Amino acid sequence: MSETFDYVVIGGGSAGSVLGNRLSEDGKRSVLILEAGRSDYPWDLLIQMPAALPFPAGKSLYDWKYESDPEPYMNGRRIKHARGKVLGGSSSINGMIYQRGNPLDYERWGADEGMETWNFAHVLPYFKRLENALAADPDDEYRGHDGPIKLERGPAKNPLFQAFFDSAVEAGYNRTPDVNGYRQEGFGPFDKHIYKGRRFSASRAYLDPVKSRQNLTIRTRAFVESIDFDGTRANGVTYRRNGKTHQVKAGEVVLAGGAINTPQLLQLSGVGDAEHLQSLGIKPVVNLPGVGENLQDHLEAYIQYSCPKPVSEQPSLNKLRMPWIGLQWLLGRKGPAATNHFEGGGFIRSNEDVDYPNLMYHFLPVAVRYDGQKADTKHGFQVHVGPMYSDARGSLKIRSKDPREHPSMIYNYLSTEQDRREWIEAVKITREIMSQPAMAPYNSGEISPGSSFQTDEEILEWVKNDAETALHPSCTAKMGPESDPMSVVDPKTMKVHGLDNVRVVDASAMPYVTNGNIHAPVLMLAEKAADLILGKDPLKPENVDYYRHGVDQAEAGIVTS
Ligand SMILES: Cc1cc2nc3c(=O)[nH]c(=O)nc-3n(C[C@H](O)[C@H](O)[C@H](O)COP(=O)(O)OP(=O)(O)OC[C@H]3O[C@@H](n4cnc5c(N)ncnc54)[C@H](O)[C@@H]3O)c2cc1C
């Protein structure tokens, strides 16, 4: 006899952790989380130690190791896509940068037909419910103060941060006290989901405190292969664990496997473009051509500089120093290993055609690529930059009936005029900021791309060959009304169109990627979705003012030094 649960949640990642907690909160419903990866053990240094963040990506023990097809506008390069394969999902291996996105991102969501309840006023209370913004003023009405996700800010004390912020001001941009508060646009310290020197992942925030609940079961190393249907009603799911196939019955199935696995699993289970499914010998349950389409992401590049002063964190990359740095962390959660080093950055508009920031900067007081490859310099630093709401769209399709075969994915980075224009602007503006007087004592030359890349064509060529994903795939099962043939998920219930009891709650359900890192928006989406699933009254919308360039508030909220 197979077991039965009220809710079977597929994936114990960022969204799955929120759901596990909220759906089991009142003790009335049984919840099973099936997570393909292993547990995020507290002794696993590569997860827990913030500065170890480059190590899990690319390792099968932590990462699904996806790859795009040859990208047609990137000289045919395949782009590597890391995804967390462990409890906590990508939040257990990510960069720990916390960005809500701009309020106008949600106004854009809410402007689409049927999406009114996802505008900024409606999502703000859920951001506040999830966060405990430790650096914020307790009276700050924009921030949450007692939610499960603890957030530290900055501190951005390395003198390179101050020089970067000052240079941005000298170049004509502004500072802002809190990019997640009243005003996103500007430069300043960033929030991070790190608490007392340790990664504060979604599983640590939402699952660790409630693991003993009788009605919550978490199964790791449980790989879901299909959703089992009786007509348009899901009975349960089939999964592999310890070399055996298991079936479990479900009142409801909630997909939370992330923007790559969720559309993959829907297609494997017969939910997707009927013609494509039939061509692979899969019987369609419902014809939903939007499954796997509308794929969005952020592409980013590292602009690196060498530094004549001995102030950067470059020496921390020296293998001989690592044991001492590790020891400092083990003994007191202190030292260079206790932070993600992405302690500050900024948001700007690169041209007058955009209403709100279209470029994000992360400043890093060290010159090193995400995979740990360091620049050849004694001291150095870099910025990560890239367009935040590119109009390029990609798609994802399974190649066969085999659930273990990675799907075909194409992102079409740089495929549009807007995208290419913003990339050229991004590199030129970065150079302008870095050549200001405040940066002069610290900047002894651009390492990458370097002086040979000057014309628009040269800059684009460098981007094609050098840029990487910022790891924000999303929007592959977008929310929208049933009247939109490309929408997949009903915004009021999170149910998949045409199915009785299957819902999607993860980065796939976003209609548009937001203009920042997307872990926080995914947590918000899951918090709100949990209320919708439980049929609770949603939190009351909060109509607060927020900074909009050129509109009524003019220059309010600016801090110039
Ligand atoms: C290396 C890296 C760095 C990043 N840095 C940042 C950052 O600094 N800040 C930020 O905001 N965002 C960052 N992101 C992005 C962010 O972490 C993700 O967008 C977000 O966590 C996605 O949440 P999710 O719930 O949609 O999916 P995930 O958190 O990826 O969760 C999906 C879960 O489902 C499981 N799963 C998948 N398929 C199955 C299956 N068939 N059966 C069972 N389980 C399954 C997976 O193992 C995983 O645990 C980063 C991502 C990566 C990979």
Side-chain angles (χ1 to χ4, degrees):
M1 283 240 311
S2 51
E3 303 162 285
T4 303
F5 292 85
D6 292 321
Y7 298 108
V8 173
V9 178
I10 303 172
S14 301
S17 298
V18 177
L19 293 171
N21 181 316
R22 297 298 186 200
L23 297 180
S24 64
E25 205 161 26
D26 66 5
K28 291 185 187 150
R29 295 141 170 118
S30 55
V31 180
L32 169 67
I33 296 180
L34 293 172
E35 166 54 47
R38 57 203 179 96
S39 181
D40 54 342
Y41 303 108
W43 57 86
D44 189 330
L45 298 190
L46 299 195
I47 291 178
Q48 308 298 344
M49 185 196 280
L53 69 93
F55 298 110
K59 305 210 171 43
S60 314
L61 211 53
Y62 303 88
D63 179 4
W64 288 87
K65 293 173 63 173
Y66 293 108
E67 206 175 52
S68 77
D69 293 357
E71 287 292 340
Y73 303 90
M74 300 270 287
N75 291 337
R77 272 171 71 208
R78 288 179 189 271
I79 306 294
K80 288 195 165 63
H81 275 265
R83 291 284 87 195
K85 188 181 186 183
V86 59
L87 202 60
S90 298
S91 80
S92 290
I93 68 161
N94 71 7
M96 292 155 277
I97 302 158
Y98 181 91
Q99 299 290 352
R100 284 178 173 182
N102 193 285
L104 290 171
D105 282 321
Y106 302 99
E107 292 301 284
R108 187 181 184 202
W109 287 22
D112 279 359
E113 194 196 334
M115 286 288 292
E116 311 73 40
T117 53
W118 287 90
N119 69 9
F120 185 60
H122 285 82
V123 302
L124 177 60
Y126 287 98
F127 275 120
K128 288 166 72 171
R129 182 163 97 180
L130 75 89
E131 63 183 30
N132 183 351
L134 297 163
D137 183 325
D139 297 326
D140 185 338
E141 60 171 333
Y142 296 92
R143 303 307 306 268
H145 306 286
D146 49 15
I149 297 278
K150 289 194 170 79
L151 297 170
E152 293 178 349
R153 187 169 304 161
K157 289 230 172 78
N158 186 298
L160 288 166
F161 280 107
Q162 190 59 45
F164 176 62
F165 298 151
D166 290 346
S167 309
V169 171
E170 285 172 354
Y173 301 97
N174 293 108
R175 291 212 53 179
T176 179
D178 181 3
V179 294
N180 290 309
Y182 168 76
R183 178 180 168 127
Q184 186 201 40
E185 185 167 341
F187 287 79
F190 280 175
D191 286 346
K192 53 190 184 181
H193 50 99
I194 295 175
Y195 183 57
K196 294 191 173 164
R198 219 181 114 199
R199 177 189 290 276
F200 210 78
S201 64
S203 53
R204 194 175 156 206
Y206 282 91
L207 295 180
D208 279 3
V210 304
K211 273 182 175 159
S212 58
R213 281 185 192 158
Q214 294 297 309
N215 60 330
L216 174 64
T217 307
I218 302 168
R219 248 164 235 167
T220 51
R221 298 176 198 267
F223 175 64
V224 177
E225 295 189 333
S226 66
I227 305 167
D228 307 323
F229 284 102
D230 182 3
T232 54
R233 192 169 182 82
N235 294 325
V237 306
T238 300
Y239 66 97
R240 291 280 297 173
R241 192 170 192 232
N242 299 330
K244 290 197 186 112
T245 299
H246 304 261
Q247 276 174 323
V248 64
K249 288 199 184 323
E252 301 233 4
V253 173
V254 188
L255 288 109
I260 297 175
N261 184 268
T262 285
Q264 178 188 13
L265 193 58
L266 282 170
Q267 292 177 7
L268 286 165
S269 309
V271 182
D273 178 64
E275 225 173 280
H276 169 234
L277 300 182
Q278 275 157 345
S279 73
L280 300 173
I282 297 170
K283 193 168 158 243
V285 173
V286 54
N287 177 26
L288 272 186
V291 174
E293 296 302 314
N294 193 42
L295 175 57
Q296 297 174 42
D297 190 20
H298 295 138
L299 189 67
E300 71 174 11
Y302 314 117
I303 304 191
Q304 299 181 317
Y305 295 85
S306 60
C307 175
K309 294 195 178 211
V311 292
S312 78
E313 289 292 338
Q314 208 74 11
S316 307
L317 300 175
N318 184 333
K319 286 213 169 81
L320 294 174
R321 279 196 175 212
M322 285 188 182
W324 165 236
I325 291 171
L327 195 66
Q328 279 177 284
W329 187 81
L330 282 169
L331 294 178
R333 303 280 184 266
K334 294 209 162 38
T339 175
N340 58 355
H341 297 285
F342 294 112
E343 294 180 353
F347 291 87
I348 62 167
R349 289 170 296 105
S350 69
N351 59 61
E352 283 304 319
D353 296 342
V354 292
D355 293 335
Y356 65 101
N358 60 333
L359 296 182
M360 172 170 64
Y361 282 100
H362 293 138
F363 182 86
L364 206 59
V366 58
V368 63
R369 297 183 76 91
Y370 209 99
D371 62 4
Q373 196 191 319
K374 53 186 177 181
D376 185 16
T377 182
K378 225 167 153 191
H379 281 275
F381 55 91
Q382 69 189 29
V383 291
H384 298 204
V385 66
M388 284 294 105
Y389 42 86
S390 156
D391 55 350
R393 297 288 180 270
S395 86
L396 177 153
K397 284 188 170 56
I398 52 170
R399 302 171 198 269
S400 74
K401 286 161 114 170
D402 178 0
R404 297 202 180 252
E405 183 175 10
H406 286 179
S408 150
M409 305 191 281
I410 200 127
Y411 288 76
N412 290 321
Y413 303 113
L414 296 175
S415 59
T416 70
E417 198 52 52
Q418 177 195 317
D419 208 11
R420 293 190 290 270
R421 169 188 175 185
E422 292 186 352
W423 263 110
I424 294 163
E425 291 168 349
V427 174
K428 289 185 171 169
I429 291 172
T430 306
R431 286 175 164 165
E432 198 183 313
I433 293 174
M434 292 303 188
S435 61
Q436 297 301 317
M439 211 65 205
Y442 301 100
N443 182 354
S444 52
E446 188 179 291
I447 302 170
S448 176
S451 54
S452 54
F453 296 89
Q454 292 300 336
T455 64
D456 292 0
E457 291 70 29
E458 286 165 350
I459 289 172
L460 272 182
E461 198 52 27
W462 173 72
V463 175
K464 285 179 193 173
N465 291 327
D466 205 79
E468 293 177 6
T469 170
L471 299 153
H472 303 150
S474 46
C475 311
T476 45
K478 72 166 184 173
M479 285 188 273
E482 209 157 1
S483 54
D484 171 1
M486 296 312 281
S487 86
V488 175
V489 174
D490 174 37
K492 300 211 165 55
T493 60
M494 309 311 285
K495 279 191 183 162
V496 174
H497 295 312
L499 298 177
D500 300 342
N501 58 343
V502 177
R503 317 207 197 209
V504 170
V505 179
D506 59 23
S508 336
M510 294 166 69
Y512 304 103
V513 72
T514 49
N515 81 336
N517 305 73
I518 66 166
H519 176 51
V522 170
L523 296 174
M524 174 281 291
L525 187 145
E527 280 277 8
K528 186 165 156 64
D531 279 2
L532 298 176
I533 294 172
L534 292 170
K536 284 185 169 178
D537 286 339
L539 297 181
K540 258 179 75 186
E542 293 180 31
N543 283 298
V544 298
D545 211 2
Y546 50 83
Y547 177 77
R548 278 176 296 165
H549 169 73
V551 188
D552 37 25
Q553 300 97 326
E555 298 307 304
I558 294 178
V559 182
T560 49
S561 60

